[in-house]
Amino acid sequence: MLDLMLLGISEIFQIHILIVIFLGVIAGILAGLIPGFTVTMAIVLTLPLTFGMEPVTGVATMIGVLVGGMSGGLITATLLGIPGTPSAVATTFDAFPMARKGKAGKALSIGIWASFLSSIISFFILISIAPQIANLALEFGPWEMFSLIVAALTIIASVTGESILKGLIGGVFGLLIATVGADPISGITRFTFDLDVLRAGIPFLVVLIGMFAISRLFDSVERTELDRDIKQKQEDKIQGIKFVLKPKETLISVIRKPVNLIRSSVIGAIIGAIPGAGGSIANLIAYDQAKKWSKESDKFGTGHEEGVVASEAGNNSTVGGDLIPTIALGIPGSAVTAVLLSALMVHGLNPGPLLITNEPNIVGGIFIAFLVASFFMLISQFLGIRYFVKVTEIQTHILFPLIMLLCVVGTFVLNNRITDIYLLFIIGIVGYLFTKYKIALAPIIIGVILGPIAEVNLRRAFMSDPEWTLFLTRPISVTFLILAVVSILFTIWQSRKSSSR
Amino acid sequence: MGEIVIGILLILLSALIYFNSGDFPQLNETHLDPGSYPKLLALLLFLLSLILVIKSSVNLLKSKTSLFDSGIKDFLKKQWKEYKLVVYSLVILGLYILLLNVLGFIISSIAFIIAAGLLIGPKKKKDLITISIVSFVVTFGVYFFFENVLYVRFPNGIFF
């Protein structure tokens, strides 16, 4: 454990890496606070920029974006009452009323401290749990790996989106996208239909940019979306709001109630570690629990400090939780960590249980980068918040073409292939249609990244022993499969219950 | 409605994958050849999409109110108003991608940013100037950053 940390410190504490983490944090904050621009989009678009960097530098940059982005939503949630990212929904409940009462500065600094402290708590949860899980996973054979992926995908499908059926469709669709191109074991090309575009397969990054950025952009130019955006910008002239941040006093008031902070952070970390459930869910659940346990629960929703602490601690600590399965098992829990894994793959590293043993400097680097990014987030939020606020005034008609351009460039940079951009166009349309009919995108993305791993492990299992019942007789494997079935049944039961009401 | 269409398309896709999975060359005596795993997935997708189609059809038949209550023409008009910009921006993006190889990165990107900006936003003279400045700065910024820092070669087009 300590070796990992020391390795990480020696990797990260170099001037150029610290600078890129800092830039990443600022980019993340900006992405988090612009409504309509999500953290996922930001991290997807950062990926192409990291191709030319060393693996540690690249991953550290993306961690910076992630940590910054989770705290960026706080600013718009407090000042405008609209969540800049989906993971700041509960933050609006109390932070916005506080701002309306003239305590905007207090709300912001409480939120910043809660974000920071919960990041630190989830950092300790991450470094103490991830290596243990990885050790456990070293015992996994191909049967366990395959069952684990099945379980992860079904859980993601049941947690995200409106119906489990659509979630599962998304997951299988993603797995199918991954089968295009060379077969991972014998190298035979499949499903190219004699099209040059498809010969090299459908690159993961293209699917990511197409599904998460392009489809979201099309969404933002629908008439109702556009009107709402313009209306919001006219209503709230944020530069009119004056606020004074009081870092010292608010720190004391946050720390004075440690139970709330720790409870919300632990909830966030646990939810973050569950595949599919991320900041948006943790934010709401942490808020809800804080309200349930609080002595002054009737004050929640009227501008109560505890509500701000709970919601911000809840969403920021998901980052640490999310990294647990990503590092320990190579299974991303969300679209964001899926991008992180693909960054590792681009650099030729193999995510999985062996990552900690084989690449301790990378893992240590990720841990320390997370810690450093949290500090940078704290500093830049307190010093720069006045300037960040200005960014929300950029209008859609300028943002839209610029982000579109970045998407196209990012896709091109991957392989220097124009044909990838044609694919991007098609996938963007498919992604847009899927979001219109509420087929969640996260299962698709996770399906694409886990597809090859699932296939390799399935075929390896049959190569070493053609007996298929091994999936059901090996205890760990069958546990995962039972988990998958239970998550499907539970979701169906839950939706039956809520619809009969 | 749309769900049924998507479901049917997915069923067609799964059939396409399934029937294209049979004729891969066999390299060695393994129990699963390159086609078996996609076949399995295709079957799964087929089943799930079938359930989706059936479910949405039942829902559609159950709900008495039709989308076209106020006349089909009115309905289309509303839809067009809502999605007009989506369609237009799709077309512009498509043109941009097609012209990238012909006109080169710089010219087509500048044109794309200006066109998309004017399409979505207000079309006054002041906005034209703003978006033009933005497009020049961003395009050249991106171009020089990627060419000099990341050594990416952008398509130059026929003019250079």
Side-chain angles (χ1 to χ4, degrees):
Chain A
M1 173 52 58
L2 201 64
D3 314 348
L4 264 182
M5 292 300 117
L6 288 176
L7 258 175
I9 289 173
S10 67
E11 289 280 347
I12 295 297
F13 280 88
Q14 302 173 36
I15 294 294
H16 71 280
I17 298 189
L18 291 176
I19 292 175
V20 292
I21 297 180
F22 186 68
L23 293 177
V25 169
I26 292 188
I29 294 176
L30 294 180
L33 70 86
I34 299 174
F37 194 94
T38 61
V39 183
T40 319
M41 254 161 109
I43 204 160
V44 166
L45 291 175
T46 328
L47 180 57
L49 300 177
T50 64
F51 287 163
M53 302 176 180
E54 292 282 301
V56 176
T57 323
V59 174
T61 319
M62 295 168 69
I63 299 265
V65 176
L66 186 52
V67 172
M70 277 298 167
S71 73
L74 163 75
I75 303 175
T76 25
T78 309
L79 297 179
L80 296 180
I82 40 169
T85 54
S87 39
V89 173
T91 313
T92 57
F93 298 164
D94 273 303
F96 186 52
M98 272 182 86
R100 278 281 138 109
K101 285 184 197 164
K103 290 193 281 190
K106 201 174 179 195
L108 283 172
S109 30
I110 287 178
I112 296 170
W113 278 116
S115 298
F116 171 72
L117 293 170
S118 73
S119 291
I120 302 297
I121 294 174
S122 81
F123 168 76
F124 284 107
I125 297 177
L126 166 71
I127 59 168
S128 48
I129 291 182
Q132 319 302 335
I133 294 187
N135 271 340
L136 200 71
L138 285 179
E139 312 286 314
F140 287 7
W143 299 272
E144 280 79 19
M145 274 319 274
F146 181 76
S147 306
L148 172 65
I149 292 171
V150 172
L153 267 177
T154 41
I155 294 174
I156 292 163
S158 38
V159 174
T160 50
E162 61 156 17
S163 87
I164 182 161
L165 181 63
K166 288 179 182 171
L168 288 174
I169 288 179
V172 176
F173 186 76
L175 291 173
L176 272 178
I177 292 182
T179 64
V180 176
D183 147 34
I185 287 193
S186 57
I188 295 162
T189 34
R190 301 182 289 193
F191 313 117
T192 54
F193 305 105
D194 288 330
L195 295 172
D196 279 343
V197 181
L198 292 177
R199 188 157 299 152
I202 303 179
F204 177 69
L205 183 71
V206 178
V207 182
L208 264 178
I209 299 184
M211 291 267 170
F212 276 100
I214 304 268
S215 74
R216 182 72 197 84
L217 284 172
F218 283 137
D219 216 39
S220 72
V221 293
E222 280 169 20
R223 194 73 252 168
T224 35
E225 287 277 322
L226 217 55
D227 287 345
R228 204 178 60 205
D229 190 58
I230 292 168
K231 217 171 121 195
Q232 270 165 1
K233 271 163 193 159
Q234 282 170 344
E235 263 178 21
D236 299 270
K237 285 282 169 207
I238 350 175
Q239 60 276 58
I241 304 173
K242 289 245 159 52
F243 54 82
V244 190
L245 299 168
K246 292 173 186 151
K248 271 186 211 145
E249 293 152 40
T250 44
L251 173 63
I252 293 165
S253 79
V254 171
I255 288 188
R256 209 179 276 153
K257 287 177 183 160
V259 185
N260 185 19
L261 179 74
I262 292 172
R263 186 200 317 110
S264 311
S265 305
V266 171
I267 290 175
I270 293 172
I271 291 176
I274 299 173
S280 43
I281 299 176
N283 183 245
L284 287 164
I285 293 186
Y287 181 85
D288 210 46
Q289 288 301 316
K291 191 174 170 182
K292 210 176 258 172
W293 291 91
S294 169
K295 283 173 198 139
E296 313 159 292
S297 55
D298 50 323
K299 277 192 188 167
F300 275 77
T302 58
H304 194 47
E305 291 171 16
E306 279 180 50
V308 182
V309 171
S311 50
E312 274 306 300
N315 70 24
N316 257 71
S317 61
T318 53
V319 180
D322 206 355
L323 286 173
I324 295 175
T326 313
I327 290 172
L329 303 170
I331 307 275
S334 65
V336 177
T337 40
V339 188
L340 211 65
L341 278 191
S342 70
L344 292 178
M345 289 174 178
V346 166
H347 289 294
L349 303 168
N350 272 327
L354 279 170
L355 188 70
I356 297 185
T357 330
N358 290 349
E359 310 283 348
N361 56 328
I362 302 280
V363 176
I366 292 177
F367 288 164
I368 297 298
F370 179 47
L371 197 64
V372 169
S374 305
F375 276 99
F376 281 160
M377 181 268 288
L378 181 75
I379 298 167
S380 48
Q381 282 274 40
F382 271 121
L383 295 180
I385 204 157
R386 270 160 229 287
Y387 310 103
F388 294 149
V389 163
K390 297 252 188 294
V391 177
T392 53
E393 286 161 35
I394 301 179
Q395 269 149 351
T396 314
H397 72 269
I398 294 188
L399 223 46
F400 177 89
L402 294 190
I403 300 171
M404 216 41 128
L405 180 77
L406 289 181
C407 294
V408 170
V409 171
T411 309
F412 182 74
V413 168
L414 177 65
N415 294 316
N416 273 27
R417 272 203 302 257
I418 289 273
T419 48
D420 279 351
I421 307 178
Y422 302 151
L423 271 179
L424 175 77
F425 185 66
I426 294 163
I427 292 173
I429 298 174
V430 172
Y432 176 68
L433 289 177
F434 275 7
T435 39
K436 275 287 94 165
Y437 292 104
K438 307 229 165 64
I439 296 180
L441 298 179
I444 303 181
I445 296 300
I446 315 262
V448 178
I449 201 165
L450 292 182
I453 309 171
E455 176 168 16
V456 166
N457 281 296
L458 180 68
R459 284 167 69 182
R460 251 186 221 152
F462 276 89
M463 267 183 219
S464 54
D465 197 332
E467 184 60 50
W468 67 271
T469 48
L470 276 172
F471 285 101
L472 301 176
T473 50
R474 293 176 67 106
I476 302 180
S477 164
V478 77
T479 316
F480 286 137
L481 290 178
I482 291 175
L483 204 63
V485 175
V486 167
S487 82
I488 295 178
L489 292 179
F490 178 72
T491 322
I492 294 176
W493 173 76
Q494 214 180 20
S495 65
R496 281 270 162 83
K497 205 176 76 176
S498 64
S499 67
S500 68
R501 246 184 225 158
Chain B
M1 241 326 249
E3 280 167 359
I4 301 176
V5 176
I6 284 194
I8 291 172
L9 287 178
L10 287 175
I11 287 176
L12 289 178
L13 177 74
S14 59
L16 186 71
I17 299 273
Y18 190 88
F19 292 113
N20 271 291
S21 304
D23 48 359
F24 294 122
Q26 287 271 10
L27 284 190
N28 43 11
E29 284 295 312
T30 47
H31 292 268
L32 295 176
D33 60 83
S36 348
Y37 168 78
K39 262 187 183 167
L40 180 77
L41 292 180
L43 276 177
L44 264 174
L45 185 66
F46 173 76
L47 278 177
L48 292 168
S49 316
L50 195 66
I51 301 177
L52 180 72
V53 169
I54 294 173
K55 250 179 123 178
S56 342
S57 313
V58 169
N59 282 344
L60 192 73
L61 290 176
K62 258 193 208 160
S63 64
K64 295 270 161 22
T65 51
S66 154
L67 275 171
F68 311 120
D69 264 351
S70 50
I72 194 158
K73 215 173 166 187
D74 208 40
F75 170 77
L76 285 178
K77 226 180 192 171
K78 257 190 205 151
Q79 292 287 311
W80 177 241
K81 195 178 170 233
E82 173 77 22
Y83 296 108
K84 194 171 71 181
L85 282 178
V86 179
V87 176
Y88 284 153
S89 45
L90 246 175
V91 172
I92 291 190
L93 180 67
L95 279 178
Y96 170 50
I97 289 172
L98 285 178
L99 290 178
L100 207 55
N101 241 348
V102 186
L103 296 179
F105 175 76
I106 293 182
I107 297 179
S108 43
S109 299
I110 291 174
F112 168 73
I113 294 177
I114 297 177
L118 289 181
L119 171 77
I120 300 163
K123 294 162 190 64
K124 288 187 203 109
K125 204 173 171 189
K126 197 183 115 212
D127 301 299
L128 180 66
I129 295 168
T130 328
I131 193 86
S132 306
I133 294 172
V134 169
S135 76
F136 273 91
V137 171
V138 171
T139 306
F140 281 103
V142 167
Y143 184 81
F144 285 115
F145 177 75
F146 279 93
E147 292 247 321
N148 297 321
V149 182
L150 299 180
Y151 308 109
V152 175
R153 290 258 145 254
F154 285 113
N156 279 330
I158 47 172
F159 295 119
F160 297 102

